[in-house]
Amino acid sequence: MKALRIHAAHDLRLQDLPEPEFAPDEALIRLGAGGICGSDLHYYAHGGVGDFRLREAMTLGHEVAGDVVAVGAEVTHVRVGDRVAVNPSRPCLHCEQCLSGHSNLCPNMRFFGSAARFPHVQGAFAELFTARQDQCVVVSSTMSYAVAACAEPLAVTLHAVSQAGPLLGGRVLIVGAGPIGVLLATSARLAGATQITVTDLQSAPLRVAEQMGATETVNVREQAPAGLFDVAFEASGSPAGLASALGALRPGGRLVQVGMLPSGPTSAPLNPLISREITVVGSFRFHREFGWAAELLGSGRVDVTPILSASFPLSRAQEAFELAADRERAVKVSLLPDEVFA
């Protein structure tokens, strides 16, 4: 089978690998579509993301959906032929964090396409891949694979919103209009926020944010957002974004850090934390929210088609990554098996 592997920064190769073997509690899945995530782009551009650096070749990809083609003897939750959105999180299910409902913080987590561990955890940008049955959420056979693959980034934003506390009637600022930022607008709207301002340095992604639930968008190259906010979500992963989010909060406000900041120390004006009693919380991946995300997509309550910019075959992955990195032209770029384009 073919798999898309990153060897170092800018060294992306579509390679032949043996078909994967699957355990008794696993399903073998044929890729339907996979979305290129910001972390995939960081591995491609920099050879790492945050504190996680490549130390060996790794198959990329964690926003995926596909069809079950075989199951292990112990699998009861899915059947051959099911279309599934695949949760890339593979927690141990036995540690204190897992048993207390915080499996996203599992110290033994094996997350698809991540260099956080060594040997690295291989991803799912491959014609065939395996997943434990608890990672598979069955979706309608009429749901497009690209939409189903968006369950993962939507789940990230649903978890971030849960970290923010009650948003009903709230004034929300979202810093950064990448895929996570624009989906945060959707999730904040679902949670009842009435004012949702999204900021960015570029205008094109802000137009998508308007389609995804923002009530106001601001290009911060031209102006600053007006007023103070109850909650700010920092989704740009930049120190400048963090500083602007802190400065825009009302006394007693709350900052949710969603974007992965650069490796090492980050400089930020922290005195407002004291003088205005700002609360800062982190948001890392998701837990139960993955199932909720798949349900929201399946019911039509969340429409992600505005963010789906383009689709490419795996054999044109280099071109797909270059487009995905161009924020003026794309929000979410999907990779599909070559035979879809035949």
Side-chain angles (χ1 to χ4, degrees), residues 43-68:
Y43 282 122
Y44 175 67
H46 309 295
V49 56
D51 295 325
F52 310 148
R53 311 302 301 177
L54 283 172
R55 289 184 281 169
E56 64 177 350
M58 181 178 76
T59 302
L60 288 172
H62 59 268
E63 298 180 8
V64 291
D67 294 316
V68 176

Short mmCIF file of all heavy atoms in Angstrom, two decimals, residues 43-68:
data_model
loop_
_atom_site.label_atom_id
_atom_site.label_comp_id
_atom_site.label_asym_id
_atom_site.label_seq_id
_atom_site.Cartn_x
_atom_site.Cartn_y
_atom_site.Cartn_z
N TYR A 43 5.15 19.96 10.69
CA TYR A 43 6.12 18.88 10.46
C TYR A 43 6.76 19.05 9.08
O TYR A 43 7.97 18.85 8.91
CB TYR A 43 5.43 17.51 10.54
CG TYR A 43 5.17 17.03 11.94
CD1 TYR A 43 3.87 16.72 12.36
CD2 TYR A 43 6.21 16.87 12.86
CE1 TYR A 43 3.62 16.27 13.65
CE2 TYR A 43 5.97 16.43 14.15
CZ TYR A 43 4.67 16.13 14.54
OH TYR A 43 4.42 15.69 15.82
N TYR A 44 5.94 19.44 8.09
CA TYR A 44 6.47 19.61 6.74
C TYR A 44 7.41 20.80 6.65
O TYR A 44 8.49 20.72 6.04
CB TYR A 44 5.31 19.78 5.76
CG TYR A 44 5.73 20.08 4.35
CD1 TYR A 44 6.40 19.12 3.58
CD2 TYR A 44 5.47 21.32 3.77
CE1 TYR A 44 6.80 19.39 2.29
CE2 TYR A 44 5.86 21.60 2.47
CZ TYR A 44 6.52 20.63 1.73
OH TYR A 44 6.93 20.91 0.45
N ALA A 45 7.05 21.90 7.28
CA ALA A 45 7.84 23.14 7.14
C ALA A 45 9.03 23.18 8.08
O ALA A 45 10.09 23.74 7.73
CB ALA A 45 6.94 24.35 7.39
N HIS A 46 8.89 22.60 9.27
CA HIS A 46 9.92 22.79 10.31
C HIS A 46 10.48 21.48 10.88
O HIS A 46 11.40 21.53 11.70
CB HIS A 46 9.34 23.61 11.47
CG HIS A 46 8.68 24.88 11.04
ND1 HIS A 46 9.37 25.92 10.45
CD2 HIS A 46 7.38 25.28 11.09
CE1 HIS A 46 8.53 26.90 10.18
NE2 HIS A 46 7.32 26.54 10.54
N GLY A 47 9.94 20.35 10.48
CA GLY A 47 10.41 19.09 11.05
C GLY A 47 9.93 18.84 12.46
O GLY A 47 10.47 17.98 13.17
N GLY A 48 8.91 19.56 12.88
CA GLY A 48 8.37 19.37 14.22
C GLY A 48 7.24 20.34 14.47
O GLY A 48 6.98 21.24 13.67
N VAL A 49 6.57 20.15 15.61
CA VAL A 49 5.49 21.04 16.02
C VAL A 49 5.59 21.22 17.53
O VAL A 49 5.68 20.24 18.27
CB VAL A 49 4.11 20.50 15.60
CG1 VAL A 49 3.86 19.10 16.13
CG2 VAL A 49 3.00 21.43 16.06
N GLY A 50 5.61 22.47 17.97
CA GLY A 50 5.77 22.72 19.40
C GLY A 50 7.06 22.09 19.90
O GLY A 50 8.14 22.31 19.33
N ASP A 51 6.94 21.27 20.94
CA ASP A 51 8.11 20.61 21.52
C ASP A 51 8.38 19.24 20.89
O ASP A 51 9.29 18.52 21.32
CB ASP A 51 7.92 20.43 23.03
CG ASP A 51 7.87 21.77 23.76
OD1 ASP A 51 8.57 22.70 23.33
OD2 ASP A 51 7.11 21.88 24.75
N PHE A 52 7.58 18.85 19.90
CA PHE A 52 7.70 17.52 19.31
C PHE A 52 8.51 17.61 18.02
O PHE A 52 8.11 18.28 17.06
CB PHE A 52 6.31 16.93 19.00
CG PHE A 52 5.34 16.98 20.16
CD1 PHE A 52 3.98 17.12 19.94
CD2 PHE A 52 5.80 16.90 21.47
CE1 PHE A 52 3.09 17.16 21.00
CE2 PHE A 52 4.92 16.95 22.54
CZ PHE A 52 3.55 17.08 22.30
N ARG A 53 9.66 16.91 17.97
CA ARG A 53 10.55 16.96 16.82
C ARG A 53 10.66 15.59 16.16
O ARG A 53 10.67 14.55 16.84
CB ARG A 53 11.96 17.41 17.24
CG ARG A 53 12.01 18.64 18.11
CD ARG A 53 11.36 19.85 17.46
NE ARG A 53 11.99 20.22 16.20
CZ ARG A 53 11.54 21.21 15.43
NH1 ARG A 53 10.46 21.89 15.77
NH2 ARG A 53 12.18 21.50 14.31
N LEU A 54 10.77 15.59 14.83
CA LEU A 54 10.95 14.33 14.11
C LEU A 54 12.30 13.71 14.42
O LEU A 54 13.33 14.38 14.34
CB LEU A 54 10.86 14.58 12.60
CG LEU A 54 9.47 14.78 12.00
CD1 LEU A 54 9.61 15.21 10.54
CD2 LEU A 54 8.62 13.52 12.10
N ARG A 55 12.28 12.43 14.75
CA ARG A 55 13.52 11.68 14.96
C ARG A 55 13.61 10.45 14.07
O ARG A 55 14.61 9.74 14.08
CB ARG A 55 13.66 11.29 16.43
CG ARG A 55 13.95 12.48 17.35
CD ARG A 55 14.18 12.03 18.77
NE ARG A 55 12.93 11.75 19.46
CZ ARG A 55 12.84 11.14 20.64
NH1 ARG A 55 13.94 10.71 21.25
NH2 ARG A 55 11.67 10.94 21.20
N GLU A 56 12.54 10.20 13.33
CA GLU A 56 12.51 9.10 12.36
C GLU A 56 11.40 9.40 11.37
O GLU A 56 10.57 10.29 11.58
CB GLU A 56 12.26 7.77 13.07
CG GLU A 56 10.90 7.68 13.74
CD GLU A 56 10.64 6.33 14.36
OE1 GLU A 56 11.42 5.40 14.11
OE2 GLU A 56 9.64 6.21 15.10
N ALA A 57 11.38 8.66 10.28
CA ALA A 57 10.32 8.84 9.29
C ALA A 57 8.96 8.52 9.92
O ALA A 57 8.84 7.60 10.73
CB ALA A 57 10.56 7.94 8.09
N MET A 58 7.95 9.28 9.54
CA MET A 58 6.63 9.12 10.16
C MET A 58 5.54 9.35 9.13
O MET A 58 5.60 10.30 8.34
CB MET A 58 6.49 10.11 11.32
CG MET A 58 5.17 10.02 12.06
SD MET A 58 5.12 11.19 13.44
CE MET A 58 4.84 12.75 12.56
N THR A 59 4.53 8.48 9.12
CA THR A 59 3.35 8.71 8.30
C THR A 59 2.52 9.80 8.95
O THR A 59 2.22 9.73 10.14
CB THR A 59 2.52 7.42 8.17
OG1 THR A 59 3.32 6.39 7.59
CG2 THR A 59 1.30 7.65 7.29
N LEU A 60 2.19 10.82 8.18
CA LEU A 60 1.41 11.93 8.69
C LEU A 60 -0.08 11.60 8.68
O LEU A 60 -0.50 10.59 8.13
CB LEU A 60 1.67 13.18 7.85
CG LEU A 60 3.04 13.84 8.00
CD1 LEU A 60 3.20 14.94 6.97
CD2 LEU A 60 3.21 14.41 9.41
N GLY A 61 -0.87 12.48 9.27
CA GLY A 61 -2.32 12.41 9.13
C GLY A 61 -3.06 11.94 10.35
O GLY A 61 -2.78 10.86 10.87
N HIS A 62 -4.01 12.77 10.82
CA HIS A 62 -4.85 12.35 11.94
C HIS A 62 -6.31 12.79 11.79
O HIS A 62 -7.16 12.36 12.55
CB HIS A 62 -4.29 12.86 13.28
CG HIS A 62 -4.16 14.35 13.36
ND1 HIS A 62 -3.01 15.01 13.01
CD2 HIS A 62 -5.04 15.31 13.74
CE1 HIS A 62 -3.18 16.31 13.18
NE2 HIS A 62 -4.41 16.52 13.61
N GLU A 63 -6.62 13.64 10.82
CA GLU A 63 -8.01 14.02 10.57
C GLU A 63 -8.53 13.12 9.45
O GLU A 63 -8.42 13.46 8.27
CB GLU A 63 -8.11 15.48 10.15
CG GLU A 63 -7.62 16.48 11.17
CD GLU A 63 -7.74 17.92 10.67
OE1 GLU A 63 -8.34 18.14 9.60
OE2 GLU A 63 -7.23 18.82 11.35
N VAL A 64 -9.09 11.97 9.78
CA VAL A 64 -9.36 10.98 8.74
C VAL A 64 -10.73 10.33 8.91
O VAL A 64 -11.29 10.26 10.01
CB VAL A 64 -8.28 9.89 8.71
CG1 VAL A 64 -6.96 10.44 8.21
CG2 VAL A 64 -8.10 9.25 10.08
N ALA A 65 -11.23 9.83 7.79
CA ALA A 65 -12.44 9.02 7.75
C ALA A 65 -12.26 7.99 6.64
O ALA A 65 -11.45 8.19 5.72
CB ALA A 65 -13.67 9.88 7.49
N GLY A 66 -12.99 6.90 6.73
CA GLY A 66 -12.87 5.86 5.72
C GLY A 66 -13.87 4.76 5.92
O GLY A 66 -14.85 4.90 6.67
N ASP A 67 -13.63 3.62 5.26
CA ASP A 67 -14.52 2.47 5.31
C ASP A 67 -13.83 1.30 5.99
O ASP A 67 -12.64 1.02 5.73
CB ASP A 67 -14.93 2.05 3.90
CG ASP A 67 -15.78 3.10 3.21
OD1 ASP A 67 -16.69 3.63 3.86
OD2 ASP A 67 -15.53 3.39 2.03
N VAL A 68 -14.55 0.60 6.83
CA VAL A 68 -14.04 -0.60 7.49
C VAL A 68 -14.00 -1.74 6.47
O VAL A 68 -15.02 -2.08 5.86
CB VAL A 68 -14.92 -0.98 8.70
CG1 VAL A 68 -14.44 -2.29 9.32
CG2 VAL A 68 -14.93 0.14 9.73
#
